């Protein structure tokens, strides 16, 4: 098991920390040495074997904790928010390190985290829990692109939600009247049929801001409330159908740099990118 707190013995060297569990199991010294060396080599700390934990960085200490778990050659490793104590840049670096170690060893890793982006980065399969109940168990791309209910859509990644009522269902497409009175279409995923309440889910990067309606797309009028420049894209917060937290991630291209706060525009999306899900509001 790998803990969020490194749980290292401060009076033992790196090598001694990794060897500790093997010694407690009365393993012969002739086996302990090679195993410890192999585990430290795996996490890139073989050259620091004689250092003390307080002489190392947070990322290096977490690698010691990882080596201490892997030295047993386990079939299953439980990692309980192991990167929670690290800063953002180091945490992202360690995500890739752990992912590569996992791929090389081929062991099963159960990774517990509250960081949705970390879950998407690290996992082959993700279980999303709500009140102790699994809401969806799926590959990262399926959880993000095809959430099965409103909780998963809202929990994984950034998501725009619009509440409304289903008017009709035709070949898997729901015609929905929003609470604002606007009418749109969405892919029917998890609804109770005609007359039922629904929450529509649209990812910010699947929306388009334009001055005119685009043919073949659902479109709603909106007003730009806030623009945040983030380098590769502009985070555009709008009022759309009564939702003043509707977010559009606008690609940073020359023709989009003219966006202005207070301007009225259309927000459009493909029908398949808008999912009609269960309604959890009041």
């Amino acid at each position: 098991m790998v803990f969020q707190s490194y749980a290292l013995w401060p009076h033992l060297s790196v090598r001694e920390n990794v060897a500790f569990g093997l010694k407690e199991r009365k393993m012969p010294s002739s086996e302990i040495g090679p195993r410890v060396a192999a585990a430290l080599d795996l996490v890139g700390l073989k050259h620091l074997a004689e250092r003390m934990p307080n002489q190392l960085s947070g990322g290096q200490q977490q690698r010691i904790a990882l080596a201490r778990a892997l030295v047993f050659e386990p079939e299953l490793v439980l990692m309980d928010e192991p990167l929670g104590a690290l800063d953002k840049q180091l945490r992202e670096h360690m995500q890739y390190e752990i992912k590569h170690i996992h791929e090389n060893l081929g062991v099963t890793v159960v990774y517990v985290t509250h960081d949705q982006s970390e879950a998407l980065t690290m996992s082959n399969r993700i279980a999303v829990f709500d009140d102790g109940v699994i809401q969806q168990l799926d590959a990262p791309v399926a959880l993000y692109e095809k959430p099965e209910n409103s909780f998963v859509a809202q929990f994984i990644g950034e998501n725009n939600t619009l509440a409304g009522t289903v008017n009709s269902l035709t070949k898997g497409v729901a015609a929905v009247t929003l609470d604002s009175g606007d009418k749109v279409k969405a892919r029917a995923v998890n609804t109770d049929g005609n007359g039922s309440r629904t929450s529509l889910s649209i990812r910010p990067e699947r929306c388009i801001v334009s001055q005119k309606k685009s043919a073949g797309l659902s479109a709603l009028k909106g007003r730009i409330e806030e623009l945040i420049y983030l380098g590769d894209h502009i985070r555009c917060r709008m009022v759309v159908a009564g939702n003043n937290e509707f977010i559009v991630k606008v690609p940073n291209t020359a023709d989009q740099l003219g966006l202005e706060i207070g301007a009225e525009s259309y927000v459009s999306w493909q029908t398949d990118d808008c999912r009609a899900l269960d309604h959890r509001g009041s």
Side-chain angles (χ1 to χ4, degrees), residues 2-247:
V2 181
F3 303 92
Q4 179 175 344
S5 60
Y6 314 128
L8 302 177
W9 297 107
H11 62 290
L12 299 180
S13 68
V14 170
R15 177 180 53 77
E16 290 169 333
N17 264 282
V18 177
F20 184 83
L22 299 179
K23 290 181 178 179
E24 288 296 304
R25 295 187 181 189
K26 310 299 182 184
M27 182 173 288
S29 298
S30 59
E31 295 183 30
I32 292 177
R35 279 206 184 194
V36 171
L40 289 176
D41 189 44
L42 186 65
V43 298
L45 291 179
K46 193 173 182 179
H47 63 295
L48 300 177
E50 302 309 319
R51 294 276 185 92
M52 304 303 286
N54 63 5
Q55 296 177 301
L56 304 177
S57 68
Q60 289 171 327
Q61 291 184 58
Q62 191 55 272
R63 291 188 192 193
I64 300 171
L66 182 58
R68 185 179 54 193
L70 297 176
V71 77
F72 295 107
E73 299 178 359
E75 294 182 4
L76 174 67
V77 178
L78 173 61
M79 297 190 182
D80 186 10
E81 297 199 77
L83 308 182
L86 305 180
D87 62 57
K88 183 178 184 295
Q89 187 172 5
L90 183 55
R91 185 169 66 247
E92 291 176 351
H93 176 74
M94 284 300 298
Q95 287 173 8
Y96 296 123
E97 289 283 335
I98 293 174
K99 188 175 179 68
H100 295 156
I101 289 171
H102 165 253
E103 291 170 350
N104 290 334
L105 291 180
V107 299
T108 299
V109 176
V110 178
Y111 195 101
V112 179
T113 180
H114 286 86
D115 186 324
Q116 294 93 333
S117 62
E118 185 169 89
L120 293 172
T121 299
M122 302 290 293
S123 306
N124 300 110
R125 289 174 67 78
I126 301 173
V128 177
F129 285 81
D130 180 26
D131 198 21
V133 178
I134 294 178
Q135 299 297 309
Q136 189 170 346
L137 174 61
D138 228 321
V141 64
L143 279 177
Y144 186 85
E145 300 291 349
K146 299 178 180 180
E148 294 177 357
N149 61 44
S150 294
F151 180 84
V152 175
Q154 201 65 30
F155 188 78
I156 297 291
E158 198 166 20
N159 179 66
N160 293 310
T161 301
L162 298 172
T165 302
V166 177
N167 293 329
S168 64
L169 293 171
T170 306
K171 295 182 179 180
V173 175
V176 177
T177 298
L178 301 178
D179 291 351
S180 62
D182 296 289
K183 298 181 184 297
V184 295
K185 293 184 178 180
R187 174 63 55 192
V189 177
N190 184 359
T191 69
D192 292 327
N194 294 356
S196 65
R197 295 286 289 161
T198 185
S199 289
L200 303 187
S201 166
I202 316 108
R203 297 294 185 189
E205 66 274 14
R206 297 301 173 89
C207 300
I208 301 169
V209 178
S210 59
Q211 294 301 313
K212 298 180 181 180
K213 287 185 177 182
S214 301
L217 302 181
S218 291
L220 295 174
K221 283 187 177 181
R223 185 178 68 254
I224 297 174
E225 296 290 304
E226 184 180 35
L227 295 169
I228 300 176
Y229 179 79
L230 293 171
D232 62 338
H233 73 278
I234 300 165
R235 191 174 190 272
C236 179
R237 181 173 66 84
M238 306 181 69
V239 176
V240 177
N243 180 357
N244 63 0
E245 294 293 337
F246 195 100
I247 304 299

